[in-house]
Amino acid sequence: GRNTLLIRKRKIMSREESVKLYNTYARKLFNISFRILHDSGEAEEIMQDTILKYITTGPKFLSEVQTAAWLSKTCIRKSIDVLRKKKREKLFLEEYEVEVEDAAVDAKPGDLSIGNIRKAISELPEASRLVLTLILLEGLDYEEVANYTGAREGTIRVQYSRARAKLAEKLRSM
């Protein structure tokens, strides 16, 4: 079929071509990502992921201009995804900080960190962990989670509500 024809036509990138691609675009992609994220470690990782994605699964036989555009667009998309995830984690952290501060006034600053929250989430039952992770950290809505899990949307809402309550309880006791 059509797909096998595309696979047969797909060019395998040599090591030299991969190195040339890296040397040509790494700095530009790093700068794009760094301007979005203001984090050199994250920018470095996204730059590498973008180049690796192009080398392994990206479109081949593109002109230099098309290759640059594909790499830039992919890098921007990946950077924005990381930014959104960080924003969700920050909002999540702030939301639980209020709940936990109300419950434990004598908590030391820094007790409630993303690390502690992740640890508390990891201690939840699997179903609760899955629903919390998909909604809070991945940003999916109830309908999307229902589609992925095969459960009804109402069931997901109840599981999410219970999981949040269990998580809040765990965080209060940390």
Side-chain angles (χ1 to χ4, degrees), residues 1-9:
R2 189 176 177 301
N3 288 346
T4 55
L5 182 63
L6 288 175
I7 290 168
R8 258 190 248 126
K9 279 187 168 181

Side-chain angles (χ1 to χ4, degrees), residues 98-167:
V98 171
E99 285 185 36
V100 173
E101 281 170 8
D102 290 348
V105 178
D106 57 354
K108 295 180 287 304
D111 278 356
L112 191 66
S113 65
I114 289 293
N116 283 346
I117 291 172
R118 284 203 173 116
K119 181 181 182 301
I121 289 174
S122 74
E123 294 170 357
L124 292 173
E126 188 176 335
S128 300
R129 201 171 55 239
L130 175 68
V131 170
L132 267 178
T133 302
L134 292 175
I135 292 172
L136 286 173
L137 303 180
E138 297 304 320
L140 301 179
D141 61 30
Y142 298 119
E143 184 182 355
E144 290 170 314
V145 175
N147 288 337
Y148 285 133
T149 61
R152 291 193 347 262
E153 194 175 326
T155 305
I156 298 299
R157 287 178 189 276
V158 170
Q159 285 179 333
Y160 176 65
S161 176
R162 288 180 182 159
R164 280 178 50 116
K166 286 178 190 169
L167 180 61

Side-chain angles (χ1 to χ4, degrees), residues 1-167:
R2 189 176 177 301
N3 288 346
T4 55
L5 182 63
L6 288 175
I7 290 168
R8 258 190 248 126
K9 279 187 168 181
R10 186 177 175 82
K11 180 180 168 237
I12 304 300
M13 193 175 275
S14 71
R15 180 162 175 21
E16 293 75 27
E17 289 171 315
S18 298
V19 170
K20 183 176 185 270
L21 183 86
Y22 182 89
N23 291 336
T24 304
Y25 296 105
R27 183 182 274 318
K28 178 184 181 193
L29 296 174
F30 173 85
N31 289 336
I32 287 170
S33 187
F34 185 74
R35 283 193 295 269
I36 293 170
L37 295 170
H38 306 285
D39 180 322
S40 60
E42 296 266 15
E44 176 83 16
E45 196 171 313
I46 286 177
M47 174 268 294
Q48 290 173 358
D49 286 353
T50 302
I51 290 172
L52 186 62
K53 182 175 181 175
Y54 183 83
I55 290 169
T56 58
T57 62
K60 301 296 181 255
F61 307 113
L62 295 180
S63 70
E64 213 166 296
V65 170
Q66 290 170 319
T67 298
W70 187 95
L71 287 165
S72 296
K73 193 188 304 183
T74 302
C75 182
I76 290 167
R77 233 183 273 121
K78 284 178 174 287
S79 299
I80 289 171
D81 286 347
V82 167
L83 197 62
R84 284 183 181 144
K85 186 171 183 182
K86 280 182 164 183
K87 197 175 286 183
R88 281 194 303 273
E89 286 179 346
K90 184 175 182 270
L91 291 172
F92 173 69
L93 185 58
E94 288 168 358
E95 187 178 321
Y96 275 98
E97 234 166 1
V98 171
E99 285 185 36
V100 173
E101 281 170 8
D102 290 348
V105 178
D106 57 354
K108 295 180 287 304
D111 278 356
L112 191 66
S113 65
I114 289 293
N116 283 346
I117 291 172
R118 284 203 173 116
K119 181 181 182 301
I121 289 174
S122 74
E123 294 170 357
L124 292 173
E126 188 176 335
S128 300
R129 201 171 55 239
L130 175 68
V131 170
L132 267 178
T133 302
L134 292 175
I135 292 172
L136 286 173
L137 303 180
E138 297 304 320
L140 301 179
D141 61 30
Y142 298 119
E143 184 182 355
E144 290 170 314
V145 175
N147 288 337
Y148 285 133
T149 61
R152 291 193 347 262
E153 194 175 326
T155 305
I156 298 299
R157 287 178 189 276
V158 170
Q159 285 179 333
Y160 176 65
S161 176
R162 288 180 182 159
R164 280 178 50 116
K166 286 178 190 169
L167 180 61

